[in-house]
Amino acid sequence: MKTFTLDVDYECDFALFGLVSSTRDYTLAWTLNRALRLRLVKQPELLLNLLSRGRLVFTHYLYATETLTFRLLRNRSIAPSNLKKPFLAPDIKEYDYLLAVSNGSGDLADEELMQQLTALDAVQYVCQFDPNSLKYKENLIL
């Protein structure tokens, strides 16, 4: 009997920023709301069921308009896990939060956004990544 496998390659069309911050997720969301004039709203937790290895749970905040979308995701699972790497993006496990921005332009272009994020007291370090170069980029497609 022949077995067919579906091999899908996703293209990520958003900018991805890794944030190092020791603050709680709701405090970081509030800080981003004030600094960037957004309205990030907490969404239901993002669940990743990894078949026999267990399940991972991540907090998720969203701000969406017709032209702009911000997603703030916690990189480490909030649920206890027996996995060695309970991360949403294990490639960049050094970062506490991930900020995905779709269609950012003008005041929220990548360079401007990097400067604004770096200036925040709640954020110790920021780095921009190419999401297409990440091994586990499928985890970031919502």
Side-chain angles (χ1 to χ4, degrees):
M1 176 179 212
K2 289 186 177 183
T3 303
F4 294 101
T5 58
L6 179 62
D7 192 20
V8 179
D9 189 29
Y10 296 102
E11 281 296 317
C12 299
D13 62 343
F14 54 86
L16 182 66
F17 298 90
L19 306 172
V20 174
S21 177
S22 59
T23 61
R24 300 263 188 184
D25 50 26
Y26 54 84
T27 306
L28 182 60
W30 179 80
T31 303
L32 291 173
N33 284 342
R34 291 190 65 209
L36 303 176
R37 296 186 189 114
L38 302 175
R39 193 168 190 302
L40 287 166
V41 177
K42 185 166 184 177
Q43 303 297 306
E45 276 83 17
L46 176 65
L47 302 173
L48 285 181
N49 289 316
L50 302 174
L51 300 178
S52 63
R53 294 186 282 170
R55 130 185 144 161
L56 300 175
V57 181
F58 304 97
T59 55
H60 174 221
Y61 290 81
L62 175 68
Y63 169 76
T65 64
E66 293 175 4
T67 58
L68 181 67
T69 302
F70 272 78
R71 290 186 190 279
L72 178 65
L73 300 156
R74 185 175 178 94
N75 195 21
R76 187 177 189 86
S77 177
I78 59 173
S81 174
N82 57 357
L83 292 174
K84 282 177 32 179
K85 296 181 181 180
F87 298 99
L88 183 62
D91 325 35
I92 51 176
K93 65 182 179 203
E94 300 82 19
Y95 295 90
D96 302 310
Y97 297 95
L98 303 174
L99 183 65
V101 181
S102 298
N103 301 328
S105 62
D107 290 339
L108 295 174
D110 294 348
E111 298 83 25
E112 291 290 321
L113 185 58
M114 278 283 285
Q115 290 176 357
Q116 291 177 347
L117 291 172
T118 305
L120 297 175
D121 290 335
V123 176
Q124 283 82 37
Y125 184 72
V126 180
C127 186
Q128 185 174 5
F129 297 97
D130 177 16
N132 292 311
S133 67
L134 298 177
K135 183 177 178 183
Y136 295 97
K137 67 182 176 184
E138 292 84 18
N139 295 352
L140 301 174
I141 299 173
L142 304 174

